[in-house]
Amino acid sequence: MAQKMTGADMVIQALKDQGVDTVFGYPGGAVLPIYDAIFNQNGIRHVLARHEQGAVHAAEGYARSTGKPGVCLVTSGPGATNAVTGLTDALMDSIPIVVLTGQVPTFMIGSDAFQEADTVGITRPCTKHNWLVKETSKLASTVHEAFHVATTGRPGPVLVDIPKDVQFATDEYTPPAEADLGHYQPQVKGDLETITELVEAIEQAERPIFYTGGGVINSGPAASQLLRELVGATGFPITSTLMGLGCYPASGESWIGMLGMHGLYEANMAMHGCDLMINIGARFDDRITGVLDAFSPDSRKAHIDIDPSSINKAIRVEMPIVGDVAHVLEDLLNVWKARGRKTNSAAVKKWWGQIDEWRKVECLKFEQKGKVIKPQHALARLEALTKKHDRYITTEVGQHQMWAAQYLGFEDPNRWMTSGGLGTMGYGFPASIGVQMAHPDALVINVAGEASWLMNMQELGTAMQYRLPVKQFILNNERLGMVRQWQELLHGERYSESWSESLPDFVKLAEAFGAKGILCSDPDTLDDAIMEMITHDGPVLFDCLVEKHENCFPMIPSGKAHNEMLLGEADTQGVIDAKGSVLV
Amino acid sequence: MSPLKIKKGATSHSAYNLRPNFSDVQESHTLAIIVDNEAGVLARVIGLFAGRGYNIESLTVAEIDHSGNLSRITVVTTGTPQVINQIKAQLGRIVPVHQVNDLTVEGQSVERELALFKVEGTGDKRVEALRLADIFRANVVDSTLESFVFELTGPSEKIDAFADLMRPLGLSELARTGVAALSRGT
Ligand SMILES: Cc1ncc(C[n+]2csc(CCOP(=O)(O)OP(=O)(O)O)c2C)c(N)n1
Ligand SMILES: [Mg+2]
């Protein structure tokens, strides 16, 4: 016997049936019935963000650190438009989130009603899919379908727009088992013939490399496990994109570091010089490839991706495999084992010899001299002092983000949350809140730049209200550092608007919210200050004053190839030509 | 810049072949896209073409299965083989899209377009218009003493050719439906 209830109650029931325990949101006129339903129950915890963008990023942080979909509830009009950046961010990084928006009642749609916006129209290009639900009878089923779409295939953000009259009306509830999930069911098994072709290539390769990405993490813990087995058994070097950090442990024997624009010298050189590139869940993004014509010219390439549109989009590959990483790796391992676990070990050993040569460049080396903290040093100390903790790292966007990727080591998937595809300043702080909600006892640190952090600083209220002991580790260079770096390299050191003027006193700012503020500018007291941050039971704003004009190296300048990396200041003179400077 | 038209069925790659074709030649392809007939689905398809900078040369859409709630969108587009493959793969990502068929590479297909031509004129020109319409098997669907409306169905090239002929004879308005296409045989 189907249960009758209001649309608002259906939303809550459907969320519960989907296993949701936490919703990040912000109320308003068009979602009041749903907030009423929230008021009358205990199963779902609502976290009141201080801005809808914060709510969406928090849901992203929750999703990325748990592998479960994040859920967000906002009102119509400005609530929905404020969610757009977070939706786009989640789309670019393939993060499963479900955003529920209120809408003006159906009979007022199209009348320019108060707080009306064409939410499905605005969010069509920044969601994987979205729905406007016009009948209460279809509401529960649509919410179930939304979860299905968000989490199946290549994950992504979805949005369900719910007019207020649909929330008020009563109808029969559809449980998940009876919901119409549509026909959406992407392929997860890879083509065995191509997998076998890849196995043959693995057996013969002289200079192989695993190039891994966020797809491994999205595929789930089994994928990381299988990857570790494959890397361990073949002994091939492995690199990863910014998105894939943690899928293989940084302490692992075959790890050669992150690749890409600010990736490690040895990783980029190995990508350039390899003869077999095995792309697992990465997408040949422009931050990775550098100039396409000169990208890894002598390699055969395999690409494992659940999204067929990622294959042959930027780089043409010889061995395309559409499927879920875990499924494909399982088959790959089986075929490789059945054929006798062969590799060309003599050649691979020589290849490692070459990689070890490249490693001798020590591209991340820096010297902490004098009384000013180098940002690299701050992160190296943070790494040393927090490594042993159950630790989750989020970041904002800029130089600090790249340094965090370079100097922090990740041993497991789902421990590193950063805005990769969209590069959203203001992502890290709310994301850290979402992570801490999901992992109350873990050490959650947002590595931030002072400029990015200010973009969603209002969320300090959220952190305080829910007693979330998130640590905001701000590398304060009083500069839009990454912008400044590009202006130095590309625009004749004309530092147009890249100062952080009129910065707040971060310690006082923390205190104004009732949080703890720590200021550190002295390398000698840095360790103690970091320890104070870690041991404090509550949110901390750590204002770490660092070298203002430090540049982030290595760097592949725009329009250049992997083997044309800049390793330090001495390399930077006149390197980027006019053609490169039009690129972002 | 005019796209090179490839003879139907002349390319060897299949719609689901992800192996790259390295050609940089612009090809014209006719895609049949079966979608759920729901609000916004056309906007999703068009938005994809606009947002990613793909061409649309012709587009038609109508419901084809009322009980199954399905519509068929026919798009004629141009691009290099790599771009065409991207277009198909990107279309495949749209959740309400059930199926994408590339009629240009999946065997032979028939393509038809319907057009209405208003031709205004008197005297010799009027007679000549009617004579040519007869040759092209265009139907007269409306007539006044100073004008005809012709209806013509056929491949786009035939519509183009008839329009070229009618222009000097007083073509004043033209309405085309865009291409509808089906694969041949079973
Ligand atoms: C919302 C948004 N606006 C602008 C940018 C462009 N941008 C990229 S990095 C950066 C500077 C970031 O400064 P800060 O947070 O202090 O980090 P730093 O580079 O100094 O470490 C800017 C403005 C962006 N990525 N996101
Ligand atoms: Mg800064």
Side-chain angles (χ1 to χ4, degrees):
Chain A
M1 185 56 213
Q3 229 183 321
K4 284 218 157 206
M5 59 179 84
T6 65
D9 286 331
M10 277 182 192
V11 169
I12 301 304
Q13 189 58 46
L15 294 181
K16 283 181 181 164
D17 287 349
Q18 290 293 337
V20 174
D21 50 27
T22 310
V23 172
F24 302 89
Y26 208 92
V31 276
L32 284 180
I34 299 177
Y35 273 89
D36 222 16
I38 286 176
F39 191 77
N40 288 321
Q41 56 88 47
N42 288 317
I44 291 176
R45 186 149 187 222
H46 180 274
V47 177
L48 179 69
R50 297 305 190 260
H51 185 294
E52 288 85 354
Q53 184 188 353
V56 184
H57 291 324
E60 285 188 272
Y62 179 97
R64 287 176 76 158
S65 65
T66 60
K68 296 197 295 183
V71 182
C72 202
L73 172 63
V74 301
T75 193
S76 67
T81 56
N82 274 347
V84 165
T85 301
L87 287 167
T88 312
D89 191 88
L91 186 71
M92 292 291 273
D93 285 348
S94 305
I95 308 304
I97 56 169
V98 177
V99 175
L100 309 172
T101 50
Q103 181 56 277
V104 302
T106 50
F107 52 85
M108 291 181 80
I109 288 178
S111 70
D112 296 324
F114 178 63
Q115 296 197 327
E116 177 179 1
D118 175 9
T119 300
V120 287
I122 290 168
T123 61
R124 204 174 279 131
C126 62
T127 52
K128 184 174 171 187
H129 194 57
N130 61 15
W131 297 260
L132 168 64
V133 184
K134 287 184 167 172
E135 290 151 73
T136 306
S137 63
K138 295 198 177 135
L139 180 53
S141 181
T142 306
V143 174
H144 298 313
E145 189 185 356
F147 276 86
H148 172 69
V149 171
T151 54
T152 313
R154 181 176 181 172
V158 298
L159 180 144
V160 185
D161 199 23
I162 314 171
K164 199 170 181 182
D165 55 334
V166 173
Q167 300 169 32
F168 269 125
T170 298
D171 215 310
E172 280 176 11
Y173 176 76
T174 312
E178 290 164 30
D180 175 11
L181 299 183
H183 66 274
Y184 184 74
Q185 204 55 263
Q187 165 188 343
V188 292
K189 287 292 244 186
D191 172 45
L192 261 185
E193 236 174 80
T194 319
I195 290 175
T196 308
E197 201 182 318
L198 172 55
V199 168
E200 282 166 17
I202 286 174
E203 290 165 351
Q204 289 154 13
E206 298 179 356
R207 302 184 311 278
I209 187 166
F210 288 112
Y211 151 43
T212 59
V216 181
I217 291 169
N218 272 337
S219 174
S224 291
Q225 216 43 58
L226 289 160
L227 176 70
R228 287 160 192 227
E229 185 183 342
L230 181 64
V231 174
T234 57
F236 292 177
I238 173 170
T239 179
S240 159
T241 65
L242 183 74
M243 296 298 296
L245 296 177
C247 66
Y248 182 83
S251 62
E253 247 175 61
S254 301
W255 177 243
I256 60 169
M258 179 178 81
L259 81 161
M261 185 174 265
H262 293 290
L264 271 62
Y265 182 73
E266 48 269 39
N268 285 335
M269 291 303 280
M271 285 289 278
H272 191 80
C274 67
D275 72 344
L276 173 64
M277 180 184 296
I278 307 164
N279 173 343
I280 309 177
R283 61 183 177 93
F284 295 109
D285 176 81
D286 55 54
R287 299 295 95 165
I288 295 306
T289 58
V291 64
L292 290 175
D293 304 340
F295 176 70
S296 194
D298 302 322
S299 59
R300 293 184 71 212
K301 300 176 184 76
H303 188 177
I304 302 168
D305 202 302
I306 196 150
D307 179 358
S309 79
S310 284
I311 293 176
N312 290 324
K313 181 167 69 177
I315 295 289
R316 291 158 171 171
V317 299
E318 288 79 13
M319 289 167 276
I321 302 171
V322 175
D324 171 61
V325 169
H327 284 87
V328 174
L329 288 185
E330 190 176 19
D331 287 344
L332 182 71
L333 270 163
N334 285 340
V335 174
W336 181 68
K337 286 176 186 166
R339 288 168 54 108
R341 301 166 164 267
K342 290 192 287 277
T343 59
N344 185 346
S345 49
V348 173
K349 193 159 168 234
K350 219 172 123 206
W351 176 227
W352 270 113
Q354 171 65 69
I355 291 171
D356 286 338
E357 283 303 310
W358 286 323
R359 278 178 164 164
K360 287 189 189 141
V361 168
E362 297 189 69
C363 66
L364 294 185
K365 205 164 121 188
F366 65 91
E367 242 183 298
Q368 173 60 52
K369 301 187 288 223
K371 289 306 267 176
V372 181
I373 301 173
K374 285 224 177 215
Q376 298 95 323
H377 177 67
L379 285 165
R381 294 316 303 155
L382 185 73
E383 168 73 356
L385 296 170
T386 62
K387 195 156 75 185
K388 297 245 150 57
H389 285 75
D390 181 21
R391 183 188 76 179
Y392 292 78
I393 302 285
T394 68
T395 77
E396 303 288 349
V397 170
Q399 291 179 316
H400 62 275
Q401 175 190 30
M402 293 300 123
W403 282 317
Q406 292 172 340
Y407 291 93
L408 303 180
F410 298 93
E411 297 298 308
D412 291 299
N414 305 101
R415 298 300 177 118
W416 163 250
M417 277 56 54
T418 193
S419 173
L422 195 64
T424 312
M425 290 170 71
Y427 166 86
F429 184 17
S432 72
I433 287 176
V435 174
Q436 190 84 72
M437 277 302 295
H439 309 277
D441 300 324
L443 175 62
V444 181
I445 303 170
N446 173 32
V447 176
E450 82 294 338
S452 294
W453 194 83
L454 288 176
M455 282 211 179
N456 269 320
M457 57 162 273
Q458 75 286 345
E459 299 304 327
L460 201 44
T462 315
M464 286 307 295
Q465 180 181 345
Y466 298 92
R467 298 179 202 287
L468 301 171
V470 288
K471 314 302 181 205
Q472 304 303 310
F473 192 69
I474 302 177
L475 296 177
N476 185 352
N477 52 11
E478 297 174 20
R479 299 288 181 280
L480 312 184
M482 191 57 96
V483 172
R484 193 207 56 74
Q485 175 167 348
W486 279 59
Q487 288 172 335
E488 179 181 332
L489 298 179
L490 287 143
H491 295 271
E493 301 180 44
R494 291 180 294 281
Y495 298 128
S496 179
E497 306 294 326
S498 54
W499 265 273
S500 288
E501 283 286 350
S502 304
L503 282 172
D505 176 331
F506 283 104
V507 173
K508 280 192 187 147
L509 180 65
E511 285 163 6
F513 277 90
K516 183 178 178 64
I518 298 173
L519 174 73
C520 182
S521 58
D522 180 355
D524 294 336
T525 60
L526 180 62
D527 275 23
D528 288 345
I530 291 176
M531 287 313 295
E532 192 186 349
M533 172 181 87
I534 300 169
T535 47
H536 179 71
D537 184 20
V540 178
L541 209 49
F542 191 108
D543 185 8
C544 187
L545 298 182
V546 297
E547 175 70 50
K548 298 182 204 310
H549 278 203
E550 191 70 20
N551 282 333
C552 184
F553 293 111
M555 175 178 184
I556 304 176
S558 307
K560 298 287 178 183
H562 277 169
N563 59 347
E564 298 177 280
M565 253 166 295
L566 310 179
L567 289 173
E569 301 295 345
D571 293 345
T572 60
Q573 293 313 315
V575 284
I576 303 175
D577 50 25
K579 215 168 119 229
S581 61
V582 304
L583 302 169
V584 287
Chain B
M1 278 309 281
S2 86
L4 198 90
K5 299 255 178 192
I6 298 287
K7 252 179 63 209
K8 312 295 176 216
T11 44
S12 56
H13 51 279
S14 100
Y16 297 102
N17 191 354
L18 292 162
R19 309 273 162 159
N21 175 326
F22 293 94
S23 165
D24 282 325
V25 176
Q26 295 275 325
E27 298 177 2
S28 172
H29 284 237
T30 303
L31 309 179
I33 309 156
I34 307 298
V35 299
D36 285 326
N37 181 21
E38 63 182 31
V41 67
L42 186 59
R44 287 179 209 284
V45 170
I46 294 172
L48 171 73
F49 278 79
R52 292 186 184 265
Y54 305 141
N55 297 319
I56 298 183
E57 306 232 310
S58 157
L59 176 126
T60 62
V61 55
E63 187 178 68
I64 52 160
D65 176 355
H66 185 69
S67 61
N69 199 33
L70 295 176
S71 291
R72 183 178 178 110
I73 300 175
T74 308
V75 178
V76 181
T77 182
T78 52
T80 62
Q82 196 187 1
V83 168
I84 299 284
N85 275 329
Q86 258 300 296
I87 293 173
K88 290 184 279 194
Q90 292 291 350
L91 285 167
R93 294 175 76 191
I94 298 177
V95 172
V97 168
H98 286 245
Q99 208 182 321
V100 180
N101 287 103
D102 185 343
L103 299 178
T104 306
V105 295
E106 296 170 28
Q108 298 198 327
S109 62
V110 285
E111 297 190 2
R112 287 293 180 271
E113 200 180 344
L114 183 144
L116 297 173
F117 302 77
K118 183 177 286 178
V119 181
E120 296 177 31
T122 53
D124 285 352
K125 283 192 171 174
R126 182 172 165 85
V127 175
E128 182 63 6
L130 195 61
R131 206 179 63 82
L132 287 168
D134 196 40
I135 294 169
F136 271 78
R137 296 182 209 289
N139 297 321
V140 178
V141 291
D142 180 56
S143 153
T144 69
L145 289 176
E146 275 105 39
S147 70
F148 289 119
V149 174
F150 298 117
E151 171 205 307
L152 180 61
T153 310
S156 300
E157 296 77 20
K158 183 175 171 181
I159 311 273
D160 291 341
F162 188 65
D164 286 345
L165 289 172
M166 286 301 118
R167 232 161 247 126
L169 299 178
L171 179 66
S172 65
E173 269 188 79
L174 171 59
R176 300 173 70 147
T177 57
V179 173
L182 284 181
S183 61
R184 293 185 61 186
T186 47

